[in-house]
Amino acid sequence: MAASGEPGKQKQEDVAAVVVVGSCMTDLVSLTSRLPKTGETIHGHKFFIGFGGKGANQCVQAARLGAKTSMVCKVGKDSFGNDYIENLKQNGISTEFTYQTKDAATGTASIIVNNEGQNIIVIVAGANLLLNTEDLREAASAISRTKVMICQLEVAPATSLEALTIAHSNGVKTLFNPAPAMADLDPRFYTLSDVFCCNESEAEILTGLEVSSPEDAGKAALVLTERGCRVVIVTLGAEGCVMLSQTETVPKHIPAEKVKAVDTTIPYISNTTNLAFLE
Ligand SMILES: *[C@@H]1O[C@H](CO)[C@@H](O)[C@H](O)[C@H]1NC(C)=O
């Protein structure tokens, strides 16, 4: 799918197949032998900066799987924001609708991890919360012509809802990852989701049901399809996932291949390698 044609004129093959509307976070990670107490200053033995945020992680993963992608997001007009845009470009992602604002800092996750792998994390969403419906109207040319639009809940819910609405009304397949989960999710999120993909704890928060087995996950997925999602996928870590749809109403358990776990804290620590597609 090589891009061709004169600049300025967008041909069909120049349109991204996957558009992600979501978050970018700079991870500031310090490794220490133990976590500090209140008021205490301690020395760590290693520091690194990583590129994270659920939205950008999903976009990078889609790009690495070979899709032409575009990231609709907002970072600060600061060095973290500049570096983030460079990182997206290096991953072959279109930054045409990656906005920069002077009004807030680039989103950050300050993370301290001790030798046992326990961590404390402070997230400041910053510029992510300023991505607004006006920005989406500008990006509508990409959102309305893509194949798949993906969003999550690390930007303002109203923004994700608008992205889903634009995609849905243009016949674009929508994939919604309700993370981080909120119990009182606007019911339109369900009806606008072609694929609704959550993990077990998110399924619990959304349905109020306990989810600790593939069987439980099937029951939760049924509740979610009844709310209007076309397809529901509940991810279960080492147990794989359970899938259910409005047309295939018997839950299907898809086991995961056995792997040697290198790092189970993927949402934060391994963001540097952007391994997390859906979590
Ligand atoms: C599910 O995802 C959330 C992030 O939205 C994460 O905090 C939580 O640990 C995950 N739950 C499981 C069981 O992996």
Side-chain angles (χ1 to χ4, degrees), residues 24-275:
C24 295
M25 302 267 184
T26 302
D27 293 340
L28 305 167
V29 186
S30 298
L31 304 183
T32 61
S33 54
R34 62 179 179 83
L35 302 180
K37 298 187 179 71
T38 305
E40 190 186 16
T41 300
I42 62 169
H43 282 276
H45 53 267
K46 195 177 172 180
F47 173 80
F48 60 91
I49 294 181
F51 297 105
K54 295 177 193 298
N57 283 350
Q58 292 170 7
C59 195
V60 167
Q61 189 60 37
R64 290 185 182 176
L65 289 170
K68 196 167 163 52
T69 57
S70 178
M71 184 72 204
V72 181
C73 60
K74 194 168 270 186
V75 296
K77 233 180 182 40
D78 48 30
S79 57
F80 288 152
N82 295 342
D83 289 351
Y84 214 113
I85 291 171
E86 191 49 40
N87 169 59
L88 293 172
K89 286 183 178 157
Q90 274 175 18
N91 278 282
I93 295 166
S94 164
T95 55
E96 188 180 355
F97 302 107
T98 296
Y99 302 100
Q100 271 190 299
T101 178
K102 283 196 185 103
D103 298 335
T106 297
T108 51
S110 300
I111 304 169
I112 300 169
V113 189
N114 71 11
N115 288 343
E116 282 77 59
Q118 294 170 313
N119 58 40
I120 49 175
I121 300 173
V122 177
I123 289 178
V124 181
N128 289 294
L129 296 181
L130 299 185
L131 183 70
N132 57 36
T133 49
E134 211 166 287
D135 299 324
L136 295 193
R137 272 194 287 278
E138 217 174 288
S141 58
I143 298 172
S144 62
R145 296 196 298 159
T146 188
K147 289 189 179 140
V148 182
M149 196 285 300
I150 305 177
C151 61
Q152 325 71 27
L153 290 174
E154 275 187 344
V155 299
T159 302
S160 290
L161 206 48
E162 176 72 6
L164 287 165
T165 304
I166 295 172
H168 186 78
S169 62
N170 285 284
V172 170
K173 181 171 265 196
T174 58
L175 195 166
F176 177 55
N177 173 217
M182 41 165 82
D184 55 346
L185 194 64
D186 188 310
R188 285 173 291 174
F189 278 105
Y190 300 105
T191 54
L192 290 169
S193 294
D194 291 314
V195 180
F196 188 96
C197 184
C198 59
N199 70 12
E200 49 207 299
S201 27
E202 289 152 0
E204 285 188 347
I205 293 169
L206 295 166
T207 63
L209 300 172
E210 193 190 311
V211 180
S212 53
S213 67
E215 201 195 339
D216 292 345
K219 288 182 188 149
L222 185 62
V223 170
L224 298 171
T225 52
E226 280 165 357
R227 291 183 189 166
C229 315
R230 241 81 59 218
V231 175
V232 173
I233 300 170
V234 180
T235 60
L236 298 165
E239 291 278 3
C241 68
V242 165
M243 203 182 112
L244 188 70
S245 77
Q246 289 193 347
T247 49
E248 287 183 56
T249 53
V250 179
K252 188 170 175 192
H253 178 209
I254 299 146
E257 273 179 46
K258 274 217 162 47
V259 293
K260 185 179 176 303
V262 174
D263 184 350
T264 59
T265 56
I266 273 173
Y268 291 108
I269 305 312
S270 296
N271 273 1
T272 37
T273 46
N274 283 297
L275 287 170

